[in-house]
Amino acid sequence: MKKKRHVSKFGFIVSTLGAAIGLGNVWGFPTLLKANGGLAFFVLYILAIVTCAIPLLILEFNIGNMRRKSLVNIFEEENPTASRFIGWFQSAFMFIVANYYTVLIGYVLISLLLNFTNLINTPLWFNNNILNAGGVGVTGTVNFQWMAYLAFVVIVITAGVIVMFRAKGIEKANVIFIPVLFVILLVLAIYVLTIPGALAGLGTVLMPTEKTLTSFGNVQVWSDAFGLGVFTVCVGSGFMLLFAGAASKRQDNANKAYILSFGVLAISLLTLILVFGSAGVLVHETYPGLTSIDDYAKAIDQAFPNNDGASFIFNVFPQTFSVINQHTIVGFGNFLGILFFTALLFAGLSSIIAMLEVVVNSVFSNYKVNEKKVILILMLLMAVIGLTLMFKDTNQLIYSFQALAGSVNMLLMAITELILFIHIYKKLKLVIAYNNEHSWIKIGKTYKFTVSYVTVFLLAVNIIFMFYAFISSGLSKLWWLSVLAVLLGIIIPLLVSLLSITVLRKYQVKAISNYGNEGAK
């Protein structure tokens, strides 16, 4: 194995932001905001970041930085069996997440290429040609989305090759493209606000209405907000434990947790302004006589049908860049679109690579196997699973995966870490002492109470909400979608975890404690 190395302070921030920021913010946040009452969802999302994400990040950064072990062995001092079970469960469900996430990154790749053409001037081009029957990228009576699958395969191969050869190019690219993504979002958000219709578009999701208060009592709104809040900062996934293990032992972990969380919030806010401001601008271009927020909301729904799925975002952005062409110089919108989607592509790739690293970290640190063959097998499995996401019901299945593998499982792992490490093994004092030794942000009684009780309570309540929402929404879908989501999102990770602590245990070799840190970003 390669000698373990440390990442720089800036490299750590950019790398964790690269893993955290991506389609969770740019696709998931505005999509779920639109579907869940706007302002109420936004408030609950911020609450989730403050009460759950930040306390959990501080805990995971300190544990990872202190233990510096592979994911499967990080809790072995307390209970080796429980540690392996948790590590393998995280690895298995992050592999499932990587599949549906790669579909969305493939959409980003298609959108990037789209900006090299004049097709960005065509309304709903993505919806009509990539997702729906009759388009250039859809074929057959089952509506197989072959262009989306081709993009999916390209992303799988790219990510797999980077992991296989431990290529450092993506890390260096993140140092450039994560700041570029932030700057582009900031500039575009400010610019869009100067165009007529933008403020009205924002008002459709941020203005308080009669439905705002009732939305706070909606189980779906709570579950989506807390699920996304945990998902966007990647706690419970194993990412942050691995990243922290590659950082300097003198790292200020509490400070980094706040920087990452507020960075995620900033990207989400800028995306909100850009997406809904742009939607308002596009509606104003078509219906300049509209004045009321309600009229704008109805017009946006009509302009972007089926806005509960990926089509909303991937149709709004190209048309936004088309409007910029009209208001500035022809081609300037295309140029900004290319920069934006290139930056988003690298952020997305960074997330996919981090997910795969979680898997390979568990495998290579515990078993004697051929690394390249295992990675090839993972790539082939993704290619097969990806086929199930390329038909007319793709969006429904993606949402099922996101709800189970992307949200429920991460909350379950997060609450498991808290219950075991804090309430059963009584190690919170150790974490607090370690943090305060290195961090200028000291944590004490307030943090102890929050992470021990408030965070645990909110996670538990929202896990129940999520299961209820998943079952309720599943009744309105094709039955096999829910069955497949449960199979891949819960049953398979459980089976992998059980096999790892029973049948496969005898094949386990002595853990390589720092394996994977050289590959962590």
Side-chain angles (χ1 to χ4, degrees):
M1 294 295 172
K2 295 180 183 179
K3 185 179 179 181
K4 181 180 177 181
R5 68 176 179 83
H6 296 308
V7 295
S8 66
K9 293 180 180 179
F10 182 70
F12 180 84
I13 293 171
V14 171
S15 296
T16 52
L17 280 171
I21 292 172
L23 275 297
N25 298 89
V26 180
W27 171 73
F29 178 72
T31 301
L32 292 175
L33 180 76
K34 182 72 170 67
N36 286 289
L39 182 61
F41 178 88
F42 189 42
V43 171
L44 291 175
Y45 175 73
I46 294 175
L47 179 66
I49 294 290
V50 173
T51 60
C52 293
I54 293 176
L56 281 164
L57 269 177
I58 293 174
L59 183 73
E60 289 199 351
F61 278 168
N62 279 289
I63 291 174
N65 197 237
M66 180 172 55
R67 291 290 170 85
R68 314 182 79 79
K69 293 182 178 181
S70 69
L71 186 61
V72 172
N73 304 100
I74 201 161
F75 296 114
E76 67 178 357
E77 290 182 20
E78 289 73 37
N79 189 318
T81 301
S83 182
R84 282 193 292 271
F85 185 90
I86 294 171
W88 280 109
F89 189 87
Q90 286 177 323
S91 301
F93 83 71
M94 288 315 300
F95 177 71
I96 300 301
V97 172
N99 284 271
Y100 87 76
Y101 206 86
T102 301
V103 175
L104 301 174
I105 303 302
Y107 292 167
V108 173
L109 178 60
I110 294 171
S111 299
L112 170 61
L113 298 176
L114 185 64
N115 279 272
F116 284 96
T117 72
N118 290 324
L119 294 176
I120 63 172
N121 300 316
T122 307
L124 299 177
W125 188 91
F126 190 92
N127 201 56
N128 294 332
N129 291 281
I130 302 301
L131 301 178
N132 291 343
V136 296
V138 185
T139 187
T141 57
V142 293
N143 300 334
F144 182 73
Q145 300 161 352
W146 65 267
M147 191 178 291
Y149 185 67
L150 180 62
F152 178 93
V153 171
V154 170
I155 299 300
V156 169
I157 293 173
T158 303
V161 169
I162 291 172
V163 174
M164 185 181 297
F165 295 102
R166 295 291 185 266
K168 301 300 185 293
I170 190 70
E171 299 175 39
K172 295 177 181 177
N174 270 335
V175 173
I176 298 172
F177 283 110
I178 295 303
V180 166
L181 179 61
F182 179 82
V183 171
I184 290 176
L185 280 172
L186 179 63
V187 171
L188 286 176
I190 293 173
Y191 174 74
V192 164
L193 288 176
T194 66
I195 305 177
L199 292 178
L202 279 175
T204 62
V205 290
L206 292 184
M207 285 290 290
T209 64
E210 293 180 1
K211 293 182 179 180
T212 301
L213 287 178
T214 57
S215 294
F216 281 111
N218 189 319
V219 167
Q220 185 73 58
V221 178
W222 277 81
S223 62
D224 282 347
F226 273 77
L228 187 68
V230 169
F231 181 79
T232 51
V233 296
C234 300
V235 286
S237 67
F239 287 4
M240 299 311 168
L241 292 168
L242 292 181
F243 286 149
S248 168
K249 287 186 177 181
R250 296 182 178 181
Q251 172 170 277
D252 188 334
N253 291 300
N255 182 38
K256 297 298 186 297
Y258 279 101
I259 290 174
L260 175 60
S261 299
F262 289 127
V264 167
L265 272 175
I267 293 291
S268 297
L269 181 59
L270 291 175
T271 302
L272 182 157
I273 294 171
L274 177 58
V275 171
F276 293 102
S278 297
V281 168
L282 295 170
V283 166
H284 179 79
E285 294 279 323
T286 307
Y287 308 105
L290 296 180
T291 55
S292 73
I293 298 297
D294 286 341
D295 288 339
Y296 267 88
K298 292 175 183 177
I300 289 173
D301 287 341
Q302 292 175 359
F304 301 100
N306 302 319
N307 58 39
D308 60 333
S311 60
F312 178 57
I313 302 303
F314 291 102
N315 280 299
V316 169
F317 280 136
Q319 291 184 59
T320 299
F321 297 125
S322 175
V323 170
I324 292 174
N325 277 337
Q326 298 170 25
H327 285 265
T328 55
I329 302 171
V330 175
F332 184 63
N334 297 68
F335 172 72
L336 290 178
I338 290 168
L339 283 180
F340 172 77
F341 283 112
T342 299
L344 187 58
L345 180 65
F346 275 98
L349 268 174
S350 182
S351 297
I352 296 296
I353 290 165
M355 293 174 193
L356 292 178
E357 285 284 4
V358 167
V359 181
V360 299
N361 173 274
S362 298
V363 175
F364 299 152
S365 62
N366 287 272
Y367 298 100
K368 269 191 174 183
V369 291
N370 183 290
E371 298 182 15
K372 291 183 173 57
K373 287 183 179 179
V374 171
I375 294 172
L376 281 173
I377 291 172
L378 293 177
M379 292 167 65
L380 288 172
L381 282 174
M382 290 184 71
V384 173
I385 295 174
L387 286 170
T388 68
L389 301 170
M390 296 299 162
F391 299 95
K392 61 182 178 180
D393 297 311
T394 288
N395 288 342
Q396 293 184 48
L397 194 53
I398 285 178
Y399 271 103
S400 295
F401 279 177
Q402 197 278 331
L404 283 178
S407 295
V408 173
N409 286 350
M410 290 178 75
L411 265 65
L412 281 172
M413 287 297 96
I415 198 171
T416 300
E417 289 176 3
L418 295 180
I419 292 173
L420 289 179
F421 203 75
I422 295 175
H423 294 285
I424 296 179
Y425 303 131
K426 312 293 185 183
K427 293 297 178 73
L428 185 56
K429 287 184 179 180
L430 185 67
V431 170
I432 292 175
Y434 185 84
N435 178 85
N436 293 344
E437 182 181 352
H438 305 290
S439 177
W440 66 270
I441 300 179
K442 308 302 180 182
I443 56 177
K445 291 182 179 179
T446 301
Y447 174 78
K448 184 178 179 180
F449 177 78
T450 301
V451 77
S452 300
Y453 302 106
V454 177
T455 304
V456 171
F457 173 75
L458 289 172
L459 288 177
V461 169
N462 279 282
I463 288 170
I464 295 172
F465 284 174
M466 285 179 180
F467 277 115
Y468 174 80
F470 176 77
I471 294 171
S472 299
S473 62
L475 296 175
S476 62
K477 298 176 182 177
L478 296 174
W479 66 270
W480 63 269
L481 290 173
S482 297
V483 171
L484 186 58
V486 171
L487 176 65
L488 292 174
I490 294 182
I491 295 177
I492 288 181
L494 280 174
L495 288 175
V496 170
S497 300
L498 290 172
L499 283 172
S500 71
I501 62 175
T502 55
V503 177
L504 297 178
R505 186 173 182 175
K506 62 182 179 180
Y507 299 106
Q508 187 176 6
V509 297
K510 184 177 180 180
I512 303 167
S513 63
N514 62 1
Y515 178 82
N517 289 334
E518 75 276 6
K521 290 172 280 299

